[in-house]
Amino acid sequence: MRILLVGASGTIGSAVYERLRDEHDILCAGRNGRDVQVDITDEDSIRQMYESTGRVDAVITASGSAGFAPLTELTPEKNQTAINSKMKGQINLVLLGIPYVNDGGSFTLTSGIMMDDPIPQGTSAAMANGAVKGFVTSAAIELPRGIRINNISPNLLAESAEKLGGFFRGFDPVPGDKVALAYQKSVEGQQTGQTYEVY
């Protein structure tokens, strides 16, 4: 398959690339993407990315930012980061990408454990994650030409535990290569509208 991997240089994206690269043609995209650059908060940038890559069999997004802040300090401005990036960025990759995905292809988005297992200061990220999950569930029944869509909801990654573990007290981190298996299942399998939880 010809796969567009957005966020390829990130922790999850790198693990997904390692999992899929031997059997598929991977186009690596991101702010400093090896093959194509994209800012998922910018619709024009997304359009230019798709025009550059042309048609693909699958789009994976392992990208999207969200800030951590106590609820009492979560201003509308701070909350906008998760809305523009984690939520709208991923959703726009689908809305603008439909014409570029081949018949029977797929989209795979990324949410996270916080929407189901909340943590202090994680409300903004949980909000965006929940929106992504809802979008995937609903979009699955309307995507044309047999295109599928799924969502991966991973626990804290072991590779990120040193940096982010302070936010996830009592969580058992999961290795990146295990998380990457869920992306492989989404891309190479036949299910749609699913959220694959990785714990």
Side-chain angles (χ1 to χ4, degrees), residues 123-147:
T123 300
S124 187
M127 169 207 66
N129 288 339
V132 168
K133 180 180 180 181
F135 175 81
V136 165
T137 303
S138 186
I141 69 171
E142 291 195 75
L143 279 169
R145 299 182 283 106
I147 297 173

Side-chain angles (χ1 to χ4, degrees), residues 86-101:
K86 187 77 172 178
M87 185 179 78
K88 281 178 60 179
Q90 293 197 89
I91 290 171
N92 286 340
L93 282 166
V94 176
L95 299 179
L96 299 174
I98 292 171
Y100 295 91
V101 173

Side-chain angles (χ1 to χ4, degrees), residues 109-136:
L109 308 188
T110 301
S111 58
I113 192 172
M114 287 177 283
M115 66 181 173
D116 297 311
D117 195 352
I119 63 170
Q121 302 190 46
T123 300
S124 187
M127 169 207 66
N129 288 339
V132 168
K133 180 180 180 181
F135 175 81
V136 165

